[in-house]
Amino acid sequence: MKGVVFTELFDFVAATFGDDMVDDIIADSDLPNGGAYTSVGTYDHREMQALVTALAVRTQTDASSLLTGFGKKLCERFAHGYPAFFQGHGGLFDFLESVQRHIHVEVRKLYPDAELPSFATHSRNTSLLELDYRSCRPLAALAEGLILGAAQHFGERVDVAQSRLADNEGNFVRFAIQHVAQ
């Protein structure tokens, strides 16, 4: 997992729970590198899980909820840092369908060693997009937060439901993203 996700997690934790919480979860997680991350480095996703688990314990909050909240904030940061990725789309569904064929292609140019999840449209109509998510990491809650953050960016209200589906790796989730009447 790219270090930028770790550094953004620390920014999210500091903004939400304070700087001391960042130090506390690093200490609680017993990380091999002591919590030192560079944005361009690559790190084991289990370190992210350890940090989020430590945060969940300290805040008495469900880890999935924390990851979803972080995903929303991360999407804001991506929209600010990489505005071209968010421009030229007819809305949320068009944007989400572009992630695999456009955004991930560009990310791979910058980080050839990145292990990115895959997204594929299962079905779509004007009010519902079913999006299949596959990853070697169990971070569907983070992906859901990114989806919700993108919806917010595009000014669209949606409900998101996850269905875990069986595959060989066990990390296959179908998101049902439903527009909500405004």
Side-chain angles (χ1 to χ4, degrees), residues 146-162:
L146 288 164
I147 291 166
L148 291 168
Q152 198 169 30
H153 175 81
F154 287 100
E156 298 178 28
R157 291 188 46 212
V158 296
D159 285 329
V160 179
Q162 292 184 31

Side-chain angles (χ1 to χ4, degrees), residues 122-145:
H122 176 71
S123 66
R124 177 182 175 176
N125 62 39
T126 57
S127 62
L128 175 69
L129 172 66
E130 290 185 326
L131 192 66
D132 291 347
Y133 164 85
R134 285 185 170 85
S135 176
C136 61
R137 296 172 297 275
L139 296 171
L142 178 62
E144 181 174 338

Side-chain angles (χ1 to χ4, degrees), residues 35-111:
Y37 297 98
T38 65
S39 61
V40 295
T42 301
Y43 306 94
D44 191 316
H45 74 277
R46 289 176 289 232
E47 294 176 41
M48 173 72 64
Q49 290 173 297
L51 289 162
V52 171
T53 298
L55 182 61
V57 169
R58 284 197 172 261
T59 62
Q60 298 180 346
T61 305
D62 177 66
S64 291
S65 297
L66 291 168
L67 277 172
T68 300
F70 170 52
K72 289 179 191 176
K73 192 65 171 172
L74 188 59
C75 186
E76 280 181 38
R77 296 295 292 249
F78 287 161
H80 178 73
Y82 307 97
F85 289 154
F86 291 80
Q87 296 168 350
H89 299 287
L92 174 66
F93 289 178
D94 289 343
F95 170 75
L96 292 173
E97 288 185 317
S98 79
V99 169
Q100 188 67 33
R101 71 180 187 280
H102 178 68
I103 295 173
H104 281 180
V105 169
E106 296 301 317
V107 171
R108 285 197 193 286
K109 288 178 186 176
L110 294 171
Y111 308 108

